[in-house]
Amino acid sequence: MANYMTLNDGNRIPLVALGTSRIPAEKIEGCVKIALDMGYRHIDTAFHYGNERTIGKALREYMENSNLKREDVYITTKLDSCYMEENAVVPALDESLRRLDLEYVDLFLIHGPYALQTLHHFPEKSPLVSEFMPVDLRETWKGMEATVLNGKARSIGVSNFNSKQLEYICETARIQPAVNQVEVHARFPQKKLHDFCKSRNIQLEAYCPLGSPFFKGSGLVNAIQSSDNLVEHPIIAKFAEKYRRTPGQILLRNIVQRGIFVIPKSETPRRIKENIQIFSFSLSEEDMKKIDELDNGVRRFKLSHYDGHPNYPFHTDF
Ligand code: NAP
């Protein structure tokens, strides 16, 4: 299996990215450099994570001290909910690029469909909750298209969109979204949304691919699943033994084998390393089906602070 896939715009994307949300500030630089050492060529960040500046510094230093060139690395960042008015999108990406010290990003995603009141400045870290603001997602999408047309983003897409919201922007889009980054793991495999995206040639990208086993952020995550640690699940442990891999590698391989790319987060060097070593084995069809049976339809990230927003995405089936 190749370590890349091709998006609907012809651009290639590495199948494994380092997820960087919640890596502590003092560790982020080291983690990015370790990941690059281990062969990662895709880093996932966002204005919202407050780490673009440090990631940019780590990348720059790494490139200065190695043969790695800008075009060898794939960088994803995201449009914050505070810049979703059409005219705010290009300046928001410009600000991310300034922090990242880059001339372009490979992938620029709308972080979520829930617009917040537009900020006309750029604080160091975006506020988690602000006033809800109704914005027509087609307007935001026009702003996203402008970032491709001005050469600052190679590919554009969305995150946390449901099928109806995707359909809505696709109907009038001049550039179709290439990616939808959503929660995907063995407990919540997003089969229907995946089928929908496949039918539109939109690539699904899995956040929380390990089920975010240790995260307990109040209000953000589903309490039922907080006590359900996929990495310790007996079926996953059994397959880890059978394939002589770790439980994390089984969970990630399962998703990648479904044709979905993954962004595991780790701040632990040993795990950063194992999370990219998933291309030298494959799970049998029968074992893939056994993992399918773990689906309990329970979403881990409820994003409940956006519940009540007219564009809150998780009240529909998919
Ligand atoms: P995750 O990657 O499923 O889980 C991360 C957790 O698993 C960390 O606590 C990590 O611990 C642990 N871990 C990592 N590798 C492991 C392994 N091989 N075995 C056992 N445990 C392992 O969940 P996530 O961090 O929530 O999501 C990943 C990334 O997706 C984020 O960093 C972010 O970039 C992105 N994301 C995007 C959105 C969005 O709205 N678009 C939402 C959520 C997340 P250590 O760090 O201690 O190793």
Side-chain angles (χ1 to χ4, degrees):
M1 178 183 242
N3 300 357
Y4 288 81
M5 63 171 62
T6 303
L7 299 174
N8 62 11
D9 55 14
N11 292 329
R12 284 193 336 149
I13 184 164
L15 287 171
V16 181
L18 179 71
T20 63
S21 149
R22 289 188 299 282
I23 295 181
E26 68 281 8
K27 287 191 179 174
I28 190 82
E29 199 175 320
C31 288
V32 169
K33 289 178 179 171
I34 288 167
L36 292 169
D37 275 346
M38 300 299 170
Y40 285 73
R41 290 296 176 263
H42 184 175
I43 310 289
D44 178 271
T45 180
F47 180 88
H48 188 65
Y49 304 161
N51 61 19
E52 289 175 319
R53 202 183 297 280
T54 319
I55 288 175
K57 178 171 179 280
L59 267 176
R60 195 172 52 252
E61 286 179 5
Y62 197 94
M63 289 192 286
E64 278 166 11
N65 295 309
S66 71
N67 292 329
L68 195 82
K69 297 189 199 62
R70 169 65 186 94
E71 57 271 29
D72 300 328
V73 196
Y74 195 100
I75 304 295
T76 296
T77 196
K78 309 187 191 88
L79 176 73
D80 195 74
S81 295
C82 296
Y83 306 100
M84 285 176 66
E85 283 181 300
E86 181 182 347
N87 291 335
V89 178
V90 166
L93 178 56
D94 285 346
E95 175 64 17
S96 282
L97 289 172
R98 196 180 64 75
R99 292 180 192 214
L100 285 161
D101 195 14
L102 295 177
E103 285 175 7
Y104 68 92
V105 287
D106 297 276
L107 180 61
F108 189 40
L109 304 175
I110 303 178
H111 206 143
Y114 27 74
L116 304 178
Q117 199 157 35
T118 303
L119 288 180
H120 297 285
H121 63 288
F122 298 101
E124 203 44 45
K125 194 172 185 319
S126 66
L128 185 63
V129 180
S130 174
E131 290 294 311
F132 291 168
M133 191 176 77
V135 166
D136 185 337
L137 292 173
R138 287 180 179 169
E139 296 302 313
T140 310
W141 192 251
K142 278 191 213 156
M144 295 295 285
E145 290 173 327
T147 67
V148 176
L149 298 174
N150 75 9
K152 305 279 180 77
R154 295 275 157 97
S155 296
I156 48 174
V158 299
S159 177
N160 294 306
F161 272 46
N162 64 36
S163 58
K164 290 192 175 63
Q165 291 165 332
L166 266 175
E167 185 82 52
Y168 181 70
I169 58 168
C170 285
E171 270 171 19
T172 53
R174 284 194 294 164
I175 302 172
Q176 292 294 309
V179 167
N180 187 15
Q181 184 185 108
V182 293
E183 175 174 344
V184 179
H185 47 76
R187 286 297 196 201
F188 196 67
Q190 297 263 29
K191 291 261 160 97
K192 288 183 185 168
L193 186 60
H194 189 207
D195 286 345
F196 173 84
C197 286
K198 276 195 279 189
S199 74
R200 299 294 189 284
N201 202 13
I202 297 167
Q203 185 56 51
L204 212 59
E205 175 175 21
Y207 74 63
C208 199
L210 300 156
S212 207
F214 309 112
F215 185 50
K216 307 262 187 271
S218 64
L220 263 178
V221 296
N222 194 321
I224 304 173
Q225 210 159 329
S226 298
S227 55
D228 175 26
N229 187 341
L230 263 177
V231 175
E232 289 172 358
H233 194 284
I235 290 184
I236 302 301
K238 194 179 97 186
F239 289 158
E241 210 180 308
K242 174 175 170 180
Y243 289 93
R244 296 172 196 270
R245 296 294 191 285
T246 67
Q249 288 173 320
I250 300 294
L251 290 165
L252 297 174
R253 177 71 206 183
N254 166 251
I255 299 175
V256 165
Q257 220 168 293
R258 290 176 57 211
I260 299 171
F261 60 98
V262 291
I263 42 174
K265 170 263 171 186
S266 180
E267 59 192 82
T268 313
R270 170 178 55 83
R271 290 171 173 166
I272 294 177
K273 183 175 180 186
E274 71 179 60
N275 291 346
I276 197 155
Q277 294 178 337
I278 57 169
F279 297 103
S280 56
F281 75 109
S282 57
L283 300 167
S284 71
E285 221 171 285
E286 196 188 344
D287 292 342
M288 289 287 285
K289 283 193 184 130
K290 286 256 159 49
I291 297 177
D292 279 351
E293 290 169 16
L294 296 181
D295 178 1
N296 64 3
V298 179
R299 186 187 291 284
R300 183 134 170 68
F301 278 79
K302 295 184 296 180
L303 302 175
S304 40
H305 44 282
Y306 300 121
D307 200 348
H309 191 290
N311 281 345
Y312 180 73
F314 302 150
H315 286 315
T316 55
D317 185 17
F318 66 100

